[in-house]
Amino acid sequence: MNIWSKVSPSEKSKYIYRIARLMQERARELAIIETLDSGKVIRESRDIDIPLACNHFFYYAGWTDKLQYAFPNKKVSPLGVVGQIIPWNFPLLMAAWKIAPALAAGNTVVLKPAETTSLTALKLAEIIRDSGLPDGVVNIVTGYGDTGAELVNHYDINKIAFTGSTTVGKIIQKSISGSDKKVTLELGGKSANIILEDAPIDQAVEGIINGIFFNQGHVCCAGSRLFVQESIYDIIIKKLKRRIDKLIIGDPLDKNTDIGAINSKEQLNTINNYINIGKSEGSKIFQSSYKLPNKGYYCAPTIFTDVSQSNRIFQEEIFGPVLTIQTFRTIDEVIKKANNSPYGLAAGVWSDKGSRVFNLSSKLRAGVVWANTYNKFDPTSPFGGYKESGFGREGGLHGLSPYINLK
Amino acid sequence: MERLKILKTYKIYIGGSFPRTESGRYYQPVNHKGDKLGNICQSSRKDIRNSVVEARKAFSVWSEKSNFNRGQILYRIAEMLEGRKSQFVDELIFQSLSKSNAEKEVNLSIDRLIYYAGWCDKYSQVLDSVNPVASSHFNFSINEPTGVVGLIADQNTSLIGLVSLLAPIIVGGNTCVVIASENLPLSAITFAEVLNSSDVPAGVVNIITGFLDELIKPLTTHMDINSIAYSGKSEKIKKQLKESSALNLKRINVYSRDWIKPVSQDLYLISDFQEIKTTWHPIENIGGSSSQY
Amino acid sequence: MNNYTNKVVQPDFSKSPRIDKVGVEERVSKFQKRSLKRETKLMGLRMALSMIDLTTLEGKDTIQKVKQMCYKAQHLHDVFPNLPKVAAVCVYPSMVRVASKLLDQSEVKVASVSTSFPSGQSPLKVKLMETKFAISEGADEIDMVISRGKFLAGEYNFVFDEIARIKEVCGNVRLKVILETGELITLDNVRRASEIAMYAGADFIKTSTGKIQPAASMQVTYVMLEAIRDFMDKTGIKVGMKPAGGISNSKLALHNLVMVNEVLGNGWLSNEWFRFGASSLANDLLMQIIKSETGIYQSSDYFSID
C-alpha cells in the first residue's frame, strides 16, 4: 500500500493499461487454459471471457487519474488493502472484475481464486509480474474455503469483495460484523426471463437458450426462471425443444461445441439432484437427445415444464443447464411472480412494444435488466443485484464506489 | 382561576394513523430539570411488524410517484413545519435545549427538507449514467429506491437527526420505519403530525417510540426490511446491525455525523439508499455490430 | 408443389412476427464461427457446387454468352473428374430457347427471370404474358420479382395476388419469388414478404435480383429460413430457399449451408430445396475443392470464366 500510494495516478494508469495489453497478447493461451481448467467451451472463453477480462483492465486503467470527476464535490481516497474472493464459473473474468477497479481506485489487492479453477489467475499473476507492477500491489493466493476465511478475518484487510453463493456471502457478512471492514457481495440469483406474446419469437428463443445454457448454466444471472405468456406457449416450447436438440455437447476444446463440461463432479451431483427433485415434484422434463460423451462430467440441457411457483427447482439456484418454465396471462401477474423471490440479480424481457418493455423493466426488482437480449456484459456496464443477490456494483462508474472513501 | 391546560398525548404513527402501542405500555422520559416529558408509547415488536407491513404497502405508491411529485410533497412538509415552528421550538426547549439552539435546530430542519426537496428531480441526473458499451446496445444505469428502510434515528437530537436521514431516504422513493430518539421523542411524534398533514401517503413514514434495546432486534432481523440506517456510535448496535444483515443482506448504513453542521447534508446520503439498475436494449445499425445488412 | 389455395388460411400479414436485428446478427455470427472438418468441408463444397444457379442477367447478354455458360454448366472443370454439375442456368426470357436447346439432354435446369425483372414495374398483364412466354420457350423454373413499391406502400394484397396469378400461369413449373430484400430495408419486412410469397404459392423464396446492394446477407437469409420453417410448421408445405447476389466465395457458401442445416435440417440440403444464385462462386468452389483434394493452392488462370 505504501508503494502503490506513492505512484502517481497517471503512472498507475499506465501500469493497468500495460496489464491489459499483456493479457491481449496472451489471449489465446489464456483461453485454452481457461477451457482446460474449467470445462467451459473454447468459443466462449475465446470470444467472451478473455476479451472481456482484457477490456475490463482497459476500461479501469483510464479512471485512475479522473476519479474526482466521478464523485462531484467529494475528496476521493482508496480504502487500503482489499481482499477479494472469486468463484469458478468465470475464473479470469472475475479476477479482472475485481482487480482492475481496486487498482484504479488506488488500493492493493489480495485475491483468492476458486480452488477448482486457479490456473488463469496464476497466469494473470505472471502477467502482472511481467508488467512491472511493484511487488506486493497484487497478491494472488490459492486455496480452499479456509484460506478465504483467513483472508476475510485478517485484521489488516480494509475491504472484502466476494462473488459466490449467497450462503457464503452471508457467512462473510456475519464474520466481519465486529469490524469496520467494508464489503461488497455479488451472490446468487434465480433470474426471470419473460417472453411476452409480441416478442420477436426466434430471437427470444435464442435469448432463452443463451440465458440458461451459456457457460453450462454456471452463471449467477442465468435466466433460469422462464415465464412465457400463454398465447405463445406452445410455439415457444416447440421451437425451444427443436433448438435444444441442435446444441452440440462435448469436448470444450472443440470450436464447434455449444455446451461444455460441468465444472466439477460435485456440481454435477448437485445438478442431477435437482433434476431428480424436479421429476419427483411432478414437473415434465425434456432433455436434449444429443449423445453425451462417455468420459467427463456432462449434463444434457434440460427443461422442465408444468412447473409451479412453489416448486423447489423454481425457487432455488441450480447453477446448471436446467430451465424451469411457467406460463402467465397478464403483465401484472408476471411482475408479481418474477419479483416473488429472495433474489434480484437480473431479468430478461422480450417484447416488441417499447412502453411495455419499460413498464416491466422499471418494475422488476433486479440489478440488470436485459430487454430483448440476455447475458450481455461490458466493462462500462454496472453489474450486481438487489436483495439477497448481494450489494455493490461491478463495472462502469458505479463499480468504482465500492473501492473508495468519500470525504 | 387559571384555565386548566390540555396536555398532549403522544402516540405513535403507523400507516397514516396515530394508534397507541399495541402493547399498551408507556414510559416517562425526563428533561434536564427532571420534568416528565409525557407518557410516551413503549412500543413492542408488534408495532414494528405493523409498521413494516404499512411501509411495504406504501412502497409501490411512493416509489412510483414522479420525482417531481415527491419533491412537491417534501416541500410541503417544510411548509407545514415552518407553520408549526413555535410548537417545535417549545418542545425542544422542554426537551432541554436553549431557546437559540432550539430555534436553530428547527430552522435547520426546515432548510434541510427544502434542500432535499430540491434534489428530488435532480439526483438521478447526477447519479445515473448512460454506459457506452462496445456492442450494439443502448445501456443505461438508473438509481432505484432500495425498498423499506429501518431508521434508527439519532439519539442525541430530537428533530434534526431524524429529519437529516429521513429526508434523503424518502426523497429517493423509499418508505421508512423510524425508531425515534428514546429520551427525546417529542419532536418525532409532532413531526409525524406534520407529515400527516403534508400529502405524504399513509405508510411512507412510520414512527414509533420506545426502548432502543427492545426495538432494534425486531427491526434489524425483519426479513422485509431492505436497509437500515443508524445514526450513532454504539459499537454494540453496529455489530448487531451487521450480523442481522447476514439474514437477508440488508444494506447497512451507519453515520456518526453532527447533524447540526450544515455540511451534514449531501447527495450521497440519497445514493446510500438506492440500488443501481442497468438496462440493456439492442440498437439497430450502430458500430460494433457486424452491420452487413 | 405448393398448392396453397385450398388448404391454407391466409394470415394477416401486417401481423407477421417481429424480428430483432441485433439478435439476428448474434445468431448469424455463431454460424460463421462453426468450423468444418476436412471431409465435411469437401462434401459441403461439392454440395454447394451442385446448388448453383449459374446466372447471366445483363442487358448485353448475347446468344454466344449464353451458349458458353450452358457449356460451362455441364463441364465445370473437365480436367478434374467426378465433379457435380450446377443445378440450373438462370437467364432472361429471350435467352431461354437457346439455353433450353443446349441443356435439353442434361439434368441442368433452365430458369428464366420474369415479371419485368429486375424492377417489376409493369402491369400484371405484361408480367403474365412474359411468364407464359418463358415457359413456352422451355423454362423449367420461373424467377419472378415482387412489386416492392406496392409492398412498401402497405398493399400486401396486391403483392399477394400478383404472385398467386403468376403461380397459376406456372402450373407445375417451379416458381421462385424474388423479394429484393435490399429494397425492403428492414428484417421485419423481409419476414413479412417471405410469408406473403409462400402463402401466395411460391415454391422457392429468393433474396435478390443481384442488381441491388445489399443482396443475400446471412442475416436476410437467416430470417427467410426461419420463415420457411414456420410456414412448414403451420401448413406442412415445404418451400425452397435461394440466396442470390453477394455469395462469391466458398467460405460464405459453406456458412450458408451450416445455417440451412441448423435452422431447417438436412432435408433442405439438396438442390431441390436450396440454391445459390451466383456467377463467380462456381470457380471459387472448384479451386477450393481441388485444393482440398490435392493440397495445392489454385490460381484463377486455370479456370474458365465462362
Side-chain angles (χ1 to χ4, degrees), chain A residues 179 361 364 367 369 386 390, chain B residues 127 144 146 242 245 251 277-278:
Chain A
S179 73
S361 71
L364 292 169
V369 177
Y386 283 34
Chain B
L127 298 174
E144 285 192 344
T146 297
K242 287 184 188 166
S245 158
R251 287 78 168 121
K277 175 184 277 178
T278 301

Side-chain angles (χ1 to χ4, degrees), chain B residues 111-219:
Chain B
D111 292 352
R112 199 145 282 175
L113 283 164
I114 301 284
Y115 173 80
Y116 284 109
W119 267 126
C120 256
D121 49 8
K122 295 163 198 71
Y123 69 86
S124 56
Q125 288 181 305
V126 184
L127 298 174
D128 294 359
S129 65
V130 172
N131 311 307
V133 295
S135 56
S136 187
H137 294 91
F138 184 62
N139 176 301
F140 57 97
S141 297
I142 52 164
N143 281 261
E144 285 192 344
T146 297
V148 176
V149 179
L151 167 57
I152 303 163
D154 183 30
Q155 294 296 305
N156 303 321
T157 57
S158 190
L159 183 64
I160 185 68
L162 168 67
V163 168
S164 297
L165 278 172
L166 183 65
I169 288 169
I170 62 173
V171 155
N174 299 285
T175 58
C176 199
V177 176
V178 183
I179 302 178
S181 169
E182 187 174 315
N183 296 318
L184 306 166
L186 301 191
S187 308
I189 297 305
T190 310
F191 186 65
E193 292 159 13
V194 168
L195 293 171
N196 200 44
S197 54
S198 311
D199 307 327
V200 180
V204 171
V205 181
N206 306 275
I207 300 177
I208 58 182
T209 52
F211 296 154
L212 213 46
D213 268 351
E214 181 188 353
L215 295 173
I216 278 192
K217 197 172 170 205
L219 185 78

Side-chain angles (χ1 to χ4, degrees), chain C residues 46 57 71 74 80 116 153-154 163 190 219 234 262 265 276:
Chain C
R46 286 175 166 274
L57 295 166
Y71 187 80
Q74 301 174 84
F80 204 82
S116 300
I163 299 168
V190 171
Q219 287 86 338
K234 280 214 180 82
E262 289 194 30
F276 289 110

Side-chain angles (χ1 to χ4, degrees), chain C residues 108-129:
Chain C
V108 178
K109 300 216 161 33
V110 177
S112 171
V113 295
S114 175
T115 66
S116 300
F117 181 95
S119 72
Q121 295 283 19
S122 63
L124 179 61
K125 204 163 66 179
V126 175
K127 292 180 179 177
L128 290 169
M129 217 153 67

Side-chain angles (χ1 to χ4, degrees), chain A residues 43 46-47 198-203 206 210 238-239 242-243 246 248 254-258 352 372-373 376, chain C residues 17-20 23-24 26-27 30 33-37 191 222 226 229-230 233-234 261-263 265-266:
Chain A
R43 179 166 54 79
R46 178 195 66 196
D47 296 346
D198 64 345
I201 299 271
D202 289 312
Q203 288 74 57
E206 211 48 38
N210 186 37
K238 184 175 183 178
K239 281 171 179 273
R242 186 149 52 192
R243 182 74 183 91
K246 284 272 175 197
I248 302 171
D254 185 327
K255 283 186 278 186
N256 285 335
T257 305
D258 295 313
D352 199 47
N372 292 319
T373 185
K376 290 282 175 302
Chain C
R18 294 306 149 113
I19 309 294
D20 182 72
V24 167
E26 279 167 23
R27 180 85 171 100
K30 284 188 182 160
K33 281 172 187 163
R34 289 278 191 234
S35 73
L36 299 176
K37 308 251 170 344
R191 168 77 194 207
Y222 170 72
E226 295 277 21
R229 199 198 50 210
D230 289 346
D233 278 352
K234 280 214 180 82
N261 184 43
E262 289 194 30
V263 178
N266 59 15

Side-chain angles (χ1 to χ4, degrees), chain A residues 71-72 74 170 173 177 179 187 361 364-369 371-372 378 381-382 385-388 390 393 398, chain B residues 127 129 131 133-134 139 141 144-146 242-243 245-249 251 266 268 275-282:
Chain A
F71 303 95
K74 287 280 173 177
K170 287 178 176 177
Q173 175 72 9
S177 59
S179 73
L187 309 175
S361 71
L364 292 169
R365 302 288 290 161
V368 182
V369 177
N372 292 319
D378 193 275
S381 174
Y386 283 34
K387 303 196 278 186
E388 292 206 14
R393 292 291 177 268
H398 298 93
Chain B
L127 298 174
S129 65
N131 311 307
V133 295
N139 176 301
S141 297
E144 285 192 344
T146 297
K242 287 184 188 166
E243 266 174 10
S245 158
L247 278 174
N248 65 338
L249 295 166
R251 287 78 168 121
D266 73 47
Y268 298 95
E275 302 285 322
I276 310 295
K277 175 184 277 178
T278 301
T279 306
W280 295 67
H281 197 283

Side-chain angles (χ1 to χ4, degrees), chain A residues 4 85 99 131 152 168 198 249 338 366:
Chain A
W4 190 233
I85 300 172
I99 297 173
S131 76
V152 168
V168 177
D198 64 345
I249 308 149

